[in-house]
Amino acid sequence: MSHVFRELLQKVGSGTHTHKDLTRAESAAATRMILQQEATPAQIGAFMIAHRIKRPNGDELAGILDAYDDLGPKLQPINSDRPVTILSNPYDGRSRTAPISPLTALILAAADCPVVMHGGDRMPTKYGVPLVELWQGLGVDWQRLSLEQSQQSLETIGIGFVYLPNHFPLAQQIVPYRDQIGKRPPFATAELFWAPYAGSAQIAVGYVHPPTEGMAQQTFALRGTPRFLTVKGLEGSCDLPRDRTGIVGVHHSAEEPIERLLLHPRDYGLDGTDVPLPPFSDLIASYQRVLAGEPSEMMRSVVWNGGFYLWQAGACSDLSAGLDLATTLLSEGTVADTLTRLTTHVQDMTQAPI
């Protein structure tokens, strides 16, 4: 198969003026050969850096996701009145600002809005703190769960996690290439658009550079994804900022155009400085204070994000109502109770005899 892959590599790696884009089918084929190690290590590394330099388009990203659908895991549909929200974040984590999305997920679950998250361990190029470590700090060890157990968590508590090393080892084994080339390959972009859930879902995609938003819109249109949000978030995450206007694209159905939201935190009394990333133990302590209902800059960031995603998940009619509901769920201890239930549920599954 390496000779077939070489032809695809030649298309994307022929230089600035002579390279050619892959078709969706070609991109899917190349991705399958990479994931299944049918291409040689030299070819895989060359493809990643060449594709990075060329820049992927919507067809190519759709093809990557087609291969992920064929070879990767998916949590199965659950019985829910609302679509699952998939909070997608860069796999290489955060290094400057405090992550918010684990607490956002708990707020959503506390309001019966199910959530799926996904990611792996510390990953190039940033090697920032990943989601799985944040959850461990809160007492939830997703690393120990099988995909079936994560499914049970989604069904029972309303939060599931797809952990790359255990649930998608084919994708995990190409992580060293990402370190060796020293740049994020297009796979890092495709991961943001990936939906490892087989039912009705709304994907929240974070981005830094405006072209990424356009690629998301093209990719989702090609794949027939009806519900998605594009968020110009903190460090490319889906966490809304508080020190600037939040820019969000909302697409709720194939029949409606994309709606552009400009969210001004000051209009809701929540403007301020985004919380810088503190030492890990201090970050977890700040999470715990939020769960205890203590006022802080972190609490304001959590309410801002929780309220927005409650609104977009259909739990509230508008952003103001979402912010009120997020505040109530935190102050009354409902979010803390949800974490306790999740922690107990995960511990019970991992301690059960085989």
Side-chain angles (χ1 to χ4, degrees):
M1 296 292 290
S2 62
H3 69 283
V4 176
F5 189 86
R6 185 172 60 227
E7 295 175 358
L8 299 175
L9 173 57
Q10 288 172 342
K11 287 189 70 172
V12 299
S14 295
T16 303
H17 302 292
T18 58
H19 72 254
K20 296 180 180 178
D21 294 329
L22 299 180
T23 66
R24 178 174 174 176
E26 288 173 333
S27 180
T31 302
R32 292 188 192 97
M33 284 186 275
I34 289 172
L35 294 176
Q36 295 175 317
Q37 300 285 293
E38 293 173 350
T40 69
Q43 289 175 328
I44 293 173
F47 184 89
M48 284 187 179
I49 195 65
H51 207 194
R52 155 86 185 198
I53 293 170
K54 183 191 79 68
R55 302 294 184 185
N57 62 22
D59 282 289
E60 291 168 331
L61 290 166
I64 292 173
L65 294 173
D66 291 343
Y68 272 45
D69 285 347
D70 290 344
L71 299 175
K74 276 190 181 291
L75 295 170
Q76 296 306 301
I78 63 171
N79 184 20
S80 174
D81 293 333
R82 300 190 179 101
V84 166
T85 297
I86 300 177
L87 296 176
S88 296
N89 291 280
Y91 281 9
D92 59 359
R94 302 280 278 277
S95 61
R96 301 189 307 276
T97 54
I100 308 299
S101 56
L103 296 186
T104 302
L106 288 169
I107 289 173
L108 287 170
D112 296 322
C113 300
V115 180
V116 167
M117 305 181 84
H118 54 98
D121 300 320
R122 300 222 171 208
M123 192 175 292
T125 56
K126 188 184 292 185
Y127 284 106
V129 59
L131 291 171
V132 70
E133 290 186 17
L134 299 173
W135 280 109
Q136 285 173 333
L138 290 169
V140 182
D141 192 355
W142 296 109
Q143 290 179 331
R144 300 182 61 191
L145 267 60
S146 66
L147 189 66
E148 292 74 20
Q149 289 171 325
S150 188
Q151 178 78 35
Q152 292 177 40
S153 175
L154 179 61
E155 293 172 351
T156 305
I157 310 298
I159 302 178
F161 195 100
V162 174
Y163 176 55
L164 210 67
N166 290 352
H167 306 152
F168 199 1
L170 292 179
Q172 176 65 23
Q173 69 184 352
I174 66 173
V175 171
Y177 292 93
R178 298 161 73 145
D179 181 54
Q180 292 162 18
I181 67 175
K183 293 289 184 181
R184 294 186 185 95
F187 292 112
T189 301
E191 288 159 355
L192 295 173
F193 306 166
W194 185 36
Y197 176 71
S200 176
Q202 174 171 256
I203 309 170
V205 176
Y207 70 93
V208 174
H209 306 294
T212 303
E213 182 184 30
M215 286 190 288
Q217 294 170 356
Q218 295 167 11
T219 303
F220 289 140
L222 288 166
R223 285 175 52 81
T225 302
R227 298 176 63 92
F228 61 87
L229 307 170
T230 54
V231 180
K232 189 171 175 57
L234 298 175
E235 296 185 59
S237 74
C238 58
D239 291 343
L240 287 169
R242 286 178 45 236
D243 67 351
R244 57 181 166 84
T245 298
I247 302 174
V248 181
V250 179
H251 193 272
H252 276 168
S253 76
E255 292 74 31
E256 299 177 10
I258 295 172
E259 180 184 5
R260 175 70 69 185
L261 299 179
L262 299 178
L263 306 175
H264 306 290
R266 66 177 180 274
D267 292 346
Y268 301 88
L270 289 171
D271 56 318
T273 302
D274 291 313
V275 180
L277 182 66
F280 186 78
S281 59
D282 293 344
L283 175 62
I284 298 304
S286 72
Y287 285 173
Q288 297 292 358
R289 289 193 292 271
V290 169
L291 292 169
E294 297 181 19
S296 64
E297 287 302 309
M298 176 67 81
M299 170 68 88
R300 290 158 65 84
S301 292
V302 171
V303 168
W304 180 236
N305 277 271
F308 170 75
Y309 282 105
L310 285 169
W311 171 35
Q312 292 303 311
C316 302
S317 58
D318 56 36
L319 179 54
S320 293
L323 298 173
D324 290 342
L325 179 56
T327 301
T328 299
L329 292 171
L330 287 163
S331 63
E332 293 183 351
T334 310
V335 181
D337 290 343
T338 300
L339 176 60
T340 299
R341 291 174 54 229
L342 176 61
T343 302
T344 301
H345 183 73
V346 169
Q347 289 176 346
D348 287 346
M349 287 192 293
T350 56
Q351 293 172 3
I354 299 176

